[in-house]
Amino acid sequence: MHCGDLLEPLDAFGFLRIERQELIRLHEIECKGTVLAVDLKAAKVLWRFKSSRDFPFFSSPAVDAERVVIGGENKLLHCLDRKTGKELWNFAARGKIDSSPAIVKDRVVVGSDDGHVYIVSRKDGKEIWKYEIGSHVDSSPAVSEGV
């Protein structure tokens, strides 16, 4: 299996998000800590993002028209430019982020292994709010009607 091979089946360690004929895929076996954006019509890799120190991603990405937001085992919430894959900002939690983030208007909501749910600015990743749950947060936030 080669990093970016489009013919490989989706394994148990690959998570994806499909939107507008684009596939955002996380590779964990050969390409540990790599996020790929793939054009499904052209069957080609648009961009790759590699996390620091090969920490894997287990959360699913949140995607909007401009950004891809993904949490990692490196305790960082990464915000990537959807067109280029370039990191726009990152937010550091005190624990790994396996919770899949949710984009809600101008904010991003995510849980962390440090026992907190965070709301950060979609624009720059600055912390707006946090709530201590008291135990690690692996589940994804549920959002309804913008709340």
Side-chain angles (χ1 to χ4, degrees), residues 110-123:
V110 71
S112 171
D113 200 41
D114 67 8
H116 290 90
V117 172
Y118 294 94
I119 297 178
V120 300
S121 167
R122 180 186 161 277
K123 179 181 176 183

Side-chain angles (χ1 to χ4, degrees), residues 32-77:
K32 194 172 191 180
T34 302
V35 179
L36 299 175
V38 178
D39 181 323
L40 294 176
K41 285 185 181 179
K44 71 175 189 173
V45 174
L46 300 172
W47 52 258
R48 289 177 173 84
F49 172 76
K50 183 93 169 124
S51 72
S52 61
R53 300 180 296 178
D54 291 333
F55 280 97
F57 296 101
F58 290 115
S59 77
S60 297
V63 180
D64 69 13
E66 300 170 344
R67 298 165 195 260
V68 173
V69 182
I70 183 93
E73 294 274 301
N74 60 355
K75 303 178 185 178
L76 295 176
L77 182 67

